[in-house]
Amino acid sequence: MRFLSLGCLLLGLACTARPQTHGELAQPAPVAQEPVSAEASVVEASAGEAKAPVVEARLSEEAARVEVLLSKLSLEEKLGQMMMVGFGGRELDEAARAMLERFHVGGICLFKRNIFSSLQVALLNDAIYQLFEGKIPPFIAVDQEGGNVIRIDDSPLLLPSAMALGAANSEALALKAGKALGEDLGLLGFNMNLAPVVELNLNLQNSVVGTRSFGSDPDRVAQLSKAFIRGQQGAQMATVAKHFPGHGHSAIDSHKDLPALEETEAQMLAQWGPFEAVIAQGLDAVMTAHVALPKISGDHLPATLSPKLLGGMLRGRLNFEGVVLTDELEMEAVSGQYSAGNAAIMAIEAGADMVLIPWQAQKKEEVFLALHEAVMQGRLSEERVNVSVRRLLSLKLKRGMFAPLPPLSERRKRLGGNRALEAQIAEAALTLLKNQNQLLPLGPQLRLAVFTQEPALAELLSKKRSTETFPLSAVLQKSAKPNKALQRAAQADVVVVGFSSARQLPALHALAAAAKKLVVVVLGNPALLKGLPENVEALLLTYSYLATPQKAAARALLGETETPGKLPVAAGKFPIGHGMSLRKAQEKSKTN
């Protein structure tokens, strides 16, 4: 029974209690309650004074459990709790086992290099649980955001993207998405999702943010973030909102360099509205961003290492008391200026609780030894270490991580039950930006030529219409012979292009010159709207290149579904909130 003996011994839990699946939305165990805010306590007290002592007793009980756990840990084990690491391979080999045990790690982050399928990663996670049997269970984290940040792609819910939810602008859908995703990840043995992205998308050219953000409007992003997080945490999935303080208007990728934002404190406070909202609701954890804010901090320290931004703003101004996890310390924005060991110490000094070092083996060694030396030399006090470890243990208790998982055979039976939600979100997000002369929906008499590198769009259209399909790359093939693809484009009544990368712009412009009528389906970031040919007659946006949004787009082109989405960012010539109804176009076409 994984972790159960430790839980019964140290926490006074009933050993006969029913095991709880991480993704199960049942009545939570006593150690898995949501935090109670001061506001909630006041409401409870006003409803009945007798409730207040119950709330206080429960919180005191949880704090006592944390202290019992903390008292059993050596300094080395405490420092290990403050490390989230990664390892190579799809199995827990001897090298990985030795590393995890040596550093007593508090968290493990799995990436695509570790994941081949849902079954394989569930077996891997079970092996991790077995390795830590009788010890403090680790966070087993993953970036399963949706859109272009997906690590497991065969069974769990695949969200089109956060921006697709922003276009749908439905708190109900965001709540369902968070709940379903949390349930699916829990069934695979994960207990932490590094999602959602809560920051605003204020610069479409920033490749770090893109469609990972719900949009650019603070109120819309706040409401959707709150709903998503409420759903995911309600499914007992530890939730990490990212990336504080946000990338602002910068276009620099912090994986490659340090962005220095020009925003003032007043401007950033407006951008922090979504963070403030989810913190007030009761957020588990925040991930930092490697960005500098010199007009606030007075220096060019990355926020991850900045006491003024983490301790002063996040902890002090926004009153965040949960776990602060750094982004990868191996990203160039940090590693280009600081050693991993020194960066880890600085991050803890600034207010972080856990540092993420997922890639290089020597960096993990360096961080562990540096933290230990910092305590031995008095740079970090053990009490400061205890503050962070208390937060980490408290979150693990709150999310029920000491409870055993049911057998994988039982969990697999429930996996995949949430996939129907993908189409619902994809269709709700469809945004029709242009429909000149009511070209859409495409009539059955029209001969279509479809050009795309993404197969699902072409496959569905080919099933229902007279269609020739070509890869976009065929348009630019160099040959002395006439280009067959361009010839077919010129002969078709309508050319449909699935456009998913700025690298495809030359091919798109070549098709625009040949086509009688041109329909463009943007399969991704609204930034792709920049530089489109002027003669595009119909323009549809999906916010994702995944198969389900492609199929939704194909159905919309044929008039089988509506286009209710509204642009959640300003893009190209189109303002935020723009979006046209395909149904109205159909009705207008019939009356004419």
Side-chain angles (χ1 to χ4, degrees), residues 450-525:
V450 181
F451 293 80
T452 180
Q453 298 299 120
E454 311 298 338
L457 176 71
E459 287 173 1
L460 196 149
L461 288 174
S462 296
K463 288 179 181 178
K464 301 191 175 187
R465 289 290 189 273
S466 173
T467 304
E468 285 191 286
T469 64
F470 302 89
L472 260 174
S473 56
V475 175
L476 299 179
Q477 288 180 351
K478 295 181 180 179
S479 173
K481 298 180 180 179
N483 189 299
K484 179 182 177 182
L486 284 176
Q487 287 180 333
R488 290 291 190 266
Q491 293 166 1
D493 295 319
V494 178
V495 171
V496 177
V497 179
F499 180 47
S500 56
S501 169
R503 294 188 297 272
Q504 299 167 354
L505 269 174
L508 178 57
H509 280 272
L511 287 168
K516 297 183 180 75
K517 295 182 184 296
L518 180 63
V519 175
V520 174
V521 181
V522 177
L523 301 169
N525 198 328

Side-chain angles (χ1 to χ4, degrees), residues 9 123 157 271 306 322 397 421 452 479 503 527 531-532:
L9 175 64
L123 290 169
L157 173 72
Q271 294 182 30
S306 171
L397 287 168
L421 186 58
T452 180
S479 173
R503 294 188 297 272
L532 290 183

Side-chain angles (χ1 to χ4, degrees), residues 528-545:
L528 294 171
L529 296 173
K530 184 178 180 180
L532 290 183
E534 290 295 329
N535 63 328
V536 175
E537 292 202 32
L539 182 56
L540 186 65
L541 184 55
T542 67
Y543 311 93
S544 177
Y545 55 76

Side-chain angles (χ1 to χ4, degrees), residues 277-288:
V278 297
I279 287 169
Q281 178 178 262
L283 173 67
D284 288 341
V286 166
M287 177 177 280
T288 66

Side-chain angles (χ1 to χ4, degrees), residues 307-573:
K308 291 185 179 178
L309 293 175
L310 293 192
M313 291 296 173
L314 180 58
R315 295 288 193 199
R317 191 71 175 263
L318 301 185
N319 299 312
F320 182 58
E321 298 179 358
V323 168
V324 174
L325 169 67
T326 73
D327 208 340
E328 300 169 19
L329 295 185
E330 292 154 287
M331 291 164 59
E332 284 296 320
V334 170
S335 64
Q337 302 179 69
Y338 308 92
S339 68
N342 192 36
I345 297 168
M346 293 174 69
I348 302 303
E349 289 176 325
D353 301 301
M354 179 175 260
V355 294
L356 177 57
I357 24 57
W359 303 107
Q360 301 177 54
Q362 67 270 26
K363 300 292 185 184
K364 300 174 182 60
E365 173 102 12
E366 180 185 339
V367 165
F368 184 79
L369 294 178
L371 291 174
H372 192 274
E373 184 178 4
V375 176
M376 292 295 96
Q377 294 182 350
R379 182 175 174 182
L380 287 176
S381 69
E382 188 163 359
E383 183 49 43
R384 169 64 189 88
V385 171
N386 288 344
V387 169
S388 286
V389 178
R390 283 188 184 98
R391 290 193 185 108
L392 296 165
L393 294 174
S394 179
L395 180 54
K396 290 179 179 184
L397 287 168
K398 181 171 65 175
R399 293 289 160 240
M401 295 180 194
F402 288 83
L405 289 173
L408 179 56
S409 58
E410 294 180 15
R411 285 149 39 208
R412 287 190 69 198
K413 293 176 183 178
R414 295 176 53 197
L415 194 60
N418 294 314
R419 292 296 291 266
L421 186 58
E422 293 175 18
Q424 188 179 356
I425 295 171
E427 291 182 4
L430 288 172
T431 307
L432 183 61
L433 298 176
K434 187 177 181 181
N435 192 18
Q436 192 171 320
N437 299 318
Q438 285 75 53
L439 176 60
L440 301 183
L442 298 171
Q445 76 285 357
L446 297 173
R447 293 172 301 154
L448 308 180
V450 181
F451 293 80
T452 180
Q453 298 299 120
E454 311 298 338
L457 176 71
E459 287 173 1
L460 196 149
L461 288 174
S462 296
K463 288 179 181 178
K464 301 191 175 187
R465 289 290 189 273
S466 173
T467 304
E468 285 191 286
T469 64
F470 302 89
L472 260 174
S473 56
V475 175
L476 299 179
Q477 288 180 351
K478 295 181 180 179
S479 173
K481 298 180 180 179
N483 189 299
K484 179 182 177 182
L486 284 176
Q487 287 180 333
R488 290 291 190 266
Q491 293 166 1
D493 295 319
V494 178
V495 171
V496 177
V497 179
F499 180 47
S500 56
S501 169
R503 294 188 297 272
Q504 299 167 354
L505 269 174
L508 178 57
H509 280 272
L511 287 168
K516 297 183 180 75
K517 295 182 184 296
L518 180 63
V519 175
V520 174
V521 181
V522 177
L523 301 169
N525 198 328
L528 294 171
L529 296 173
K530 184 178 180 180
L532 290 183
E534 290 295 329
N535 63 328
V536 175
E537 292 202 32
L539 182 56
L540 186 65
L541 184 55
T542 67
Y543 311 93
S544 177
Y545 55 76
L546 297 179
T548 300
Q550 288 185 59
K551 294 175 183 177
R555 289 193 292 272
L557 296 182
L558 302 178
E560 296 176 0
T561 189
E562 174 63 301
T563 53
K566 303 296 180 184
L567 197 60
V569 292
K573 300 177 180 179

Side-chain angles (χ1 to χ4, degrees), residues 43-348:
V43 172
E44 288 194 11
S46 65
E49 292 297 330
K51 292 185 178 181
V54 175
V55 173
E56 292 174 5
R58 192 191 74 225
L59 294 176
S60 298
E61 181 184 4
E62 291 176 359
R65 291 167 178 166
V66 169
E67 293 305 317
V68 171
L69 288 171
L70 184 66
S71 69
K72 302 295 183 181
L73 299 179
S74 67
L75 173 62
E76 290 74 18
E77 290 170 326
K78 292 175 185 177
L79 296 176
Q81 284 296 305
M82 300 170 74
M83 295 174 59
M84 179 173 282
V85 303
F87 57 84
R90 294 170 177 169
E91 295 180 352
L92 198 60
D93 60 20
E94 288 306 312
R97 289 174 182 271
M99 182 270 293
L100 297 176
E101 290 183 315
R102 180 188 174 197
F103 297 134
H104 317 284
V105 301
I108 299 162
C109 187
L110 300 186
F111 293 86
K112 195 62 182 176
R113 62 177 176 169
N114 305 115
I115 301 169
F116 172 73
S117 69
S118 58
L119 174 58
Q120 168 267 322
V121 78
L123 290 169
L124 173 58
N125 288 341
D126 277 12
I128 293 172
Y129 271 76
Q130 291 165 8
L131 179 67
F132 283 82
E133 186 173 2
K135 304 173 185 177
I136 303 295
F139 295 118
I140 305 180
V142 67
D143 293 280
Q144 188 77 0
E145 298 176 16
N148 60 345
V149 182
I150 286 176
R151 311 301 188 205
I152 316 128
D153 54 17
D154 65 332
S155 290
L157 173 72
L158 303 182
L159 295 176
S161 67
M163 191 168 283
L165 283 169
N169 196 22
S170 166
E171 291 179 47
L173 275 182
L175 179 69
K176 288 180 181 178
K179 175 179 176 290
L181 189 56
E183 289 175 345
D184 283 354
L185 292 178
L187 293 172
L188 294 177
F190 290 100
N191 52 39
M192 174 177 276
N193 192 16
L194 306 180
V197 171
V198 172
E199 62 191 287
L200 306 180
N201 186 330
L202 299 177
N203 186 339
L204 292 181
Q205 305 311 312
N206 188 313
S207 59
V208 173
V209 182
T211 57
R212 301 168 70 190
S213 166
F214 291 107
S216 62
D217 177 69
D219 291 335
R220 178 185 300 200
V221 173
Q223 293 306 313
L224 295 176
S225 297
K226 285 170 61 180
F228 185 95
I229 290 169
R230 194 160 61 248
Q232 190 164 258
Q233 291 184 172
Q236 280 299 75
M237 184 61 48
T239 295
V240 182
K242 53 192 187 186
H243 311 78
F244 182 86
H247 286 77
H249 290 87
S250 171
I252 296 175
D253 184 344
S254 52
H255 290 86
K256 302 174 182 177
D257 201 356
L258 176 65
L261 310 188
E262 295 299 321
E263 278 89 341
T264 64
E265 183 173 327
Q267 289 170 327
M268 289 308 298
L269 284 171
Q271 294 182 30
W272 291 340
F275 282 102
E276 193 169 16
V278 297
I279 287 169
Q281 178 178 262
L283 173 67
D284 288 341
V286 166
M287 177 177 280
T288 66
H290 302 325
V291 299
L293 281 163
K295 291 184 179 179
I296 298 178
S297 65
D299 54 42
H300 279 77
L301 280 176
T304 299
L305 314 181
S306 171
K308 291 185 179 178
L309 293 175
L310 293 192
M313 291 296 173
L314 180 58
R315 295 288 193 199
R317 191 71 175 263
L318 301 185
N319 299 312
F320 182 58
E321 298 179 358
V323 168
V324 174
L325 169 67
T326 73
D327 208 340
E328 300 169 19
L329 295 185
E330 292 154 287
M331 291 164 59
E332 284 296 320
V334 170
S335 64
Q337 302 179 69
Y338 308 92
S339 68
N342 192 36
I345 297 168
M346 293 174 69
I348 302 303

